[in-house]
Amino acid sequence: MKTHTGGVGVTISSPDKVLFPEDGISKGELAVYYRLVAPLMLPHVRSRPLTMERFPDGIGAPGFFHKDVVRGFPEWLERIELPKKGGRVHHPLLNDARAVLWAANQNCITPHVSNARAPALRPDLCVLDLDPADDSDPAALRTAALQLRRMLDELSLPSWIKTTGSKGFHIVVPLDGEAAAGEVARFARAVGQLLVRRAPRALTQELSKVDRGGRILVDTGRNGFPATYAAPYAVRPRRGAPVSAPCSWEEVEEVEEGSVHPQSFRLRDMAARTDAVGDLWLDLHENGQPLGDAVARLAGLAARMSTTAISVITRFLLSARIRCKPRS
């Protein structure tokens, strides 16, 4: 099977190999899907170091994560070499549709990307992941997402949302790319702490499921290299081939049957979905925000709570070295 992008053919080997056995979705069908969504996906993944979640034998067998591409790649594939503990790693970059299809040909079901772009690798996104232990209480998840949006509104930070294709939602804030990765990671952690303090019976930052007590995890660990998150429009390795797809806040607010949930969108539904709504994140990167302004507002929110909360945010402000002076 050969697919064509911009006049360049990308050969998909073994296109009839079934990757989703319960759904009959083949490698060829996966490649056709990624060719379809590549124009929507590329503005969000271009120049971001890629980690591929690969399933050579389909999702019925163990998969693995692959980030270091050192051999067997086409000469046109762009990569970035970065340090790691004890060596170097060569991340591929999904900079054009050919690269998206190349990844699909590696049996990459889910591309995971950084919140920062090469070469500067300063985050232009802050990613907050709402992760319930299971999918038994969609109303609680919806409430948590809307509580987080309200807090971000209080910080004058616009936010966008997408389904994870798994159990939760990703809420993202576009940044201006001036803050370092560690600063963004600490800011996200402080936002998560304050949100949990507002709703301690429903939310937690305990990573262990045993310690969550049924609460929703506010996971802020997607910020700071080498952390990644599932790319917008990425297929997830679960039955039904759910997609991590952008949605609107209005869709999340709906409480009637049929409202958006984490696995609302599937590979075979996305052609109709994108025809109907286009890219709901289209203007996200035109709205990058300075982090320093938001830090000052966050300190103000903490000051209206408890001395403990003030202590948490104060420690962050002392360690972050982010200018808190608002823009003129």
Side-chain angles (χ1 to χ4, degrees), residues 279-314:
D279 179 17
L280 293 173
W281 280 20
L282 182 63
D283 59 346
L284 182 152
H285 295 291
E286 299 173 3
N287 289 276
Q289 303 295 308
L291 197 59
D293 294 5
V295 169
R297 296 185 186 102
L298 184 61
L301 291 183
R304 293 197 292 271
M305 292 191 68
S306 65
T307 55
T308 303
I310 293 172
S311 175
V312 168
I313 305 304
T314 300

Side-chain angles (χ1 to χ4, degrees), residues 7-277:
V8 178
V10 178
T11 299
I12 303 298
S13 60
S14 304
D16 296 327
K17 179 169 60 176
V18 175
L19 297 182
F20 293 80
E22 294 186 55
D23 305 286
I25 296 174
S26 67
K27 181 178 178 181
E29 189 173 355
L30 180 73
V32 168
Y33 165 77
Y34 276 121
R35 181 176 62 182
L36 169 74
V37 299
L40 306 181
M41 174 185 279
L42 283 167
H44 307 298
V45 301
R46 189 175 284 117
S47 298
R48 299 188 189 277
L50 169 70
T51 296
M52 297 182 287
E53 190 175 5
R54 297 175 58 187
F55 290 83
D57 299 312
I59 67 170
F64 62 96
F65 290 92
H66 183 192
K67 63 180 70 174
D68 192 17
V69 176
V70 294
R71 61 177 65 89
F73 59 92
E75 62 181 25
W76 50 258
L77 181 69
E78 296 181 67
R79 300 179 302 155
I80 181 171
E81 182 178 350
L82 298 171
K84 69 172 184 176
K85 186 175 181 180
R88 312 285 291 179
V89 60
H90 305 78
H91 286 270
L93 302 173
L94 299 183
N95 284 353
D96 56 30
R98 292 178 303 172
V100 174
L101 289 170
W102 170 83
N105 193 47
Q106 309 307 303
N107 303 289
C108 172
I109 289 177
T110 307
H112 299 263
V113 293
S114 169
N115 70 334
R117 299 183 195 260
L121 292 180
R122 282 186 169 255
D124 62 354
L125 290 177
C126 178
V127 181
L128 300 155
D129 181 4
L130 296 179
D131 183 18
D134 55 47
D135 55 6
S136 62
D137 193 348
L141 178 62
R142 184 185 307 111
T143 296
L146 296 174
Q147 287 174 327
L148 178 52
R149 182 182 64 163
R150 283 193 293 272
M151 175 178 284
L152 294 171
D153 286 344
E154 291 176 65
L155 300 175
S156 297
L157 292 175
S159 59
W160 279 255
I161 188 169
K162 70 180 178 71
T163 64
T164 63
S166 181
K167 301 189 302 293
F169 289 114
H170 286 154
I171 291 89
V172 302
V173 174
L175 302 175
D176 63 7
E178 294 297 321
E183 295 167 343
V184 175
R186 287 192 291 272
F187 174 76
R189 176 73 177 172
V191 168
Q193 287 174 328
L194 198 54
L195 184 68
V196 168
R197 289 178 188 279
R198 287 183 169 186
R201 294 184 178 181
L203 306 175
T204 183
Q205 287 191 302
E206 294 288 349
L207 294 178
S208 170
K209 289 185 178 181
V210 174
D211 296 327
R212 293 186 203 173
R215 295 170 294 175
I216 296 169
L217 172 65
V218 183
D219 184 359
T220 61
R222 308 292 178 181
N223 303 280
F225 196 78
T228 62
Y229 76 111
Y233 301 102
V235 180
R236 306 309 300 272
R238 301 170 71 97
R239 184 178 65 183
V243 173
S244 183
C247 54
S248 70
W249 281 113
E250 290 74 20
E251 289 175 312
V252 176
E253 288 172 332
E254 293 179 4
V255 296
E256 294 81 7
E257 185 178 352
S259 61
V260 163
H261 59 81
Q263 293 188 41
S264 283
F265 310 113
R266 307 295 176 104
L267 178 152
R268 288 174 171 165
D269 304 329
M270 284 301 291
R273 168 74 174 173
T274 56
D275 282 347
V277 303

